Amino acid sequence: EPEVTQTPSHQVTQMGQEVILRCVPISNHLYFYWYRQILGQKVEFLVSFYNNEISEKSEIFDDQFSVERPDGSNFTLKIRSTKLEDSAMYFCASSTGGPDEQYFGPGTRLTVT
Amino acid sequence: GENVEQHPSTLSVQEGDSAVIKCTYSDSASNYFPWYKQELGKRPQLIIDIRSNVGEKKDQRIAVTLNKTAKHFSLHITETQPEDSAVYFCAAIKYKLSFGAGTTVTVRA
């Protein structure tokens, strides 16, 4: 069964550094998402992406964040200048025909020191 | 935006008993309600979902009910087993997925 994959599984970075989190969505899916989950808290929506553009974003997704689909398989989340409060698990998800039935990747644990 | 409330935050049941988790949502335009199961350190996994034109859906030991008028929906797990222990999240979708705060379910052997 195809699954969403994410790399790296764990990223440690210093405050102020840029990080890029990578995701490979399920191959026939057209909608892509990023979520974050601070330890012990609920999953929070960051952004959705369809047809090479952002379709929805939350108030968390400010100018420090950007997403890109650099090729036919990868979907990336960039945080330009990381802050301590960016430490969280970041999940990528994908779906076929809209926001329903989203399948999540295993997550990248980002630790900002 | 959509606000999803979930109760209880923790639930401990004896193996074989039933577990019920309840959620309410605020936006009457939300039309899709998935439930995710998240085991410790793992990805959220979609276990069942219900659309706004359906009142109830069942899949083996798991069932979901939806009351659109009252804007609440529930997850029912029957004959609980130790492997059902996890955090369960409800969610509602209008244009984006809004999650509840989660319920930590512990099934005691």
Side-chain angles (χ1 to χ4, degrees), chain B residues 2-59:
Chain B
E2 176 65 272
N3 182 41
V4 179
E5 300 283 339
Q6 183 171 348
H7 300 279
S9 56
T10 60
L11 181 60
S12 179
V13 296
Q14 191 69 39
E15 184 178 358
D17 288 351
S18 295
V20 180
I21 303 170
K22 298 182 178 182
C23 290
T24 61
Y25 60 99
S26 59
D27 191 338
S28 56
S30 290
N31 55 12
Y32 173 73
F33 306 90
W35 286 86
Y36 284 85
K37 175 183 180 181
Q38 187 177 31
E39 297 176 18
L40 190 62
K42 296 192 175 179
R43 74 185 80 193
Q45 286 194 300
L46 178 65
I47 56 171
I48 196 166
D49 55 18
I50 191 166
R51 299 183 190 278
S52 58
N53 59 347
V54 175
E56 185 173 354
K57 182 177 178 180
K58 190 172 181 181
D59 182 3

Side-chain angles (χ1 to χ4, degrees), chain A residues 3-5 35 37 40-45 48 56-58 89 91 99-107, chain B residues 3-4 31-32 34 36 38 41-46 49 51 89 93-102:
Chain A
E3 289 187 329
V4 177
T5 60
Y35 295 85
Q37 185 178 31
Q41 297 186 23
K42 68 178 176 181
V43 178
E44 299 174 288
F45 170 81
S48 60
E56 295 282 335
K57 61 181 181 178
S58 71
M89 181 74 90
F91 290 105
D100 298 1
E101 294 189 55
Q102 294 182 30
Y103 292 88
F104 282 69
Chain B
N3 182 41
V4 179
N31 55 12
Y32 173 73
Y36 284 85
Q38 187 177 31
K42 296 192 175 179
R43 74 185 80 193
Q45 286 194 300
L46 178 65
D49 55 18
R51 299 183 190 278
F89 292 96
I93 287 182
K94 182 181 173 183
Y95 302 117
K96 60 183 176 74
L97 204 51
S98 297
F99 283 87

